[in-house]
Amino acid sequence: MAGRGSRLSRGGAAAVAGVLCLAGLLFATSAGTADGTDLREDDDDLRAVVLEESSRVATLEERVAAARAEVDALAAPPGEADAGPSEALAAAGQTAPVSGEGLVVVLADAPRGTVLGAGYDLQDTVVHSQDVQAVVNALWRGGAEGMGVMDQRVIGTTAVRCVGSTLRVQGRYYPPPYRVEAVGDPEALRAALEASPEVALYRQASDDLGLVYEVSEADLDLPAYGGTLDLSWARPA
């Protein structure tokens, strides 16, 4: 049996992984130097620093969002501060708060000391950004009305990237386990996950190596999207 990375490359997903995971080279280097040890060492101090900095960034972003809302209200012409069309556009763009039934998907690394089966290597025992992105993409295809990754609201243009042993989402860094929430018809969302070839690869690795893949139904309340709507792109020289 080929490893998760090998099967992804044959399916054409390696190219996607190369774009989404800016630190892919770091994982390869770690696999070569880990000499059979856990890629994500149990460094409680590092985890605490990541969580503390993420919390600090979240607080600053809340202040920025409040200031932006105040500026927009002051700049709006009289009588237009609470205009309906802007709310309709926010809902259509999946940036407005959304509540309702949906699914929660949790991904996490395999236990320390997992025995590698034939065709697998050490990199296959950890969650990569392409695994999280595969779940996100499948849920969008399943008709999700709104989505959140960890404690952040995300939209269709949001990408998740791995940076070392953490996940980067809109400027914040998170250690595993990773939580994805999607508001929508639970049956349709679950069917989309089942139909995704990329998610199927992760599920197979979950069965073989003990990676966490948990799907549950829940009533969700997702906040408004607070990130930027500006798009960046590259230009040829």
Side-chain angles (χ1 to χ4, degrees):
M1 177 186 297
R4 200 157 92 240
S6 300
R7 293 196 297 274
L8 280 172
S9 64
R10 283 201 287 269
V16 177
V19 174
L20 296 179
C21 187
L22 297 180
L25 180 59
L26 178 58
F27 282 110
T29 303
S30 298
T33 58
D35 193 22
T37 60
D38 194 348
L39 278 177
R40 295 196 208 274
E41 294 185 0
D42 189 12
D43 191 335
D44 292 337
D45 291 339
L46 178 58
R47 182 185 180 90
V49 169
V50 171
L51 293 175
E52 181 179 352
E53 288 302 307
S54 181
S55 176
R56 187 178 66 84
V57 171
T59 300
L60 293 175
E61 287 179 347
E62 290 175 0
R63 294 179 181 175
V64 170
R68 183 183 299 154
E70 184 177 353
V71 170
D72 290 343
L74 292 173
E80 294 187 11
D82 299 321
S86 61
E87 296 180 2
L89 288 174
Q94 298 172 326
T95 60
V98 62
S99 300
E101 60 180 359
L103 289 186
V104 176
V105 183
V106 177
L107 309 178
D109 299 342
R112 179 187 292 272
T114 295
V115 177
L116 299 176
Y120 286 107
D121 59 37
L122 200 59
Q123 295 185 61
D124 294 319
T125 64
V126 299
V127 180
H128 297 282
S129 61
Q130 64 263 29
D131 300 321
V132 181
Q133 192 70 57
V135 169
V136 169
N137 290 342
L139 292 172
W140 283 131
R141 288 193 296 268
E145 302 169 23
M147 198 175 311
V149 175
M150 302 304 284
D151 59 352
Q152 292 199 66
R153 179 70 181 275
V154 299
I155 58 176
T157 57
T158 304
V160 294
R161 300 178 174 88
C162 59
V163 179
S165 60
T166 62
L167 191 72
R168 182 178 184 271
V169 184
Q170 295 172 169
R172 299 189 210 168
Y173 297 84
Y174 302 93
Y178 303 124
R179 179 184 175 96
V180 181
E181 300 176 331
V183 172
D185 178 11
E187 292 186 6
L189 295 174
R190 196 182 293 272
L193 289 172
E194 295 286 337
S196 168
E198 294 81 12
V199 175
L201 291 176
Y202 181 87
R203 290 168 52 205
Q204 183 63 56
S206 174
D207 292 339
D208 294 341
L209 301 174
L211 288 157
V212 173
Y213 178 73
E214 298 175 350
V215 181
S216 59
E217 297 185 16
D219 291 324
L220 302 171
D221 293 299
L222 301 182
Y225 174 72
T228 179
L229 295 176
D230 295 333
L231 297 178
S232 301
W233 61 90
R235 295 179 181 273

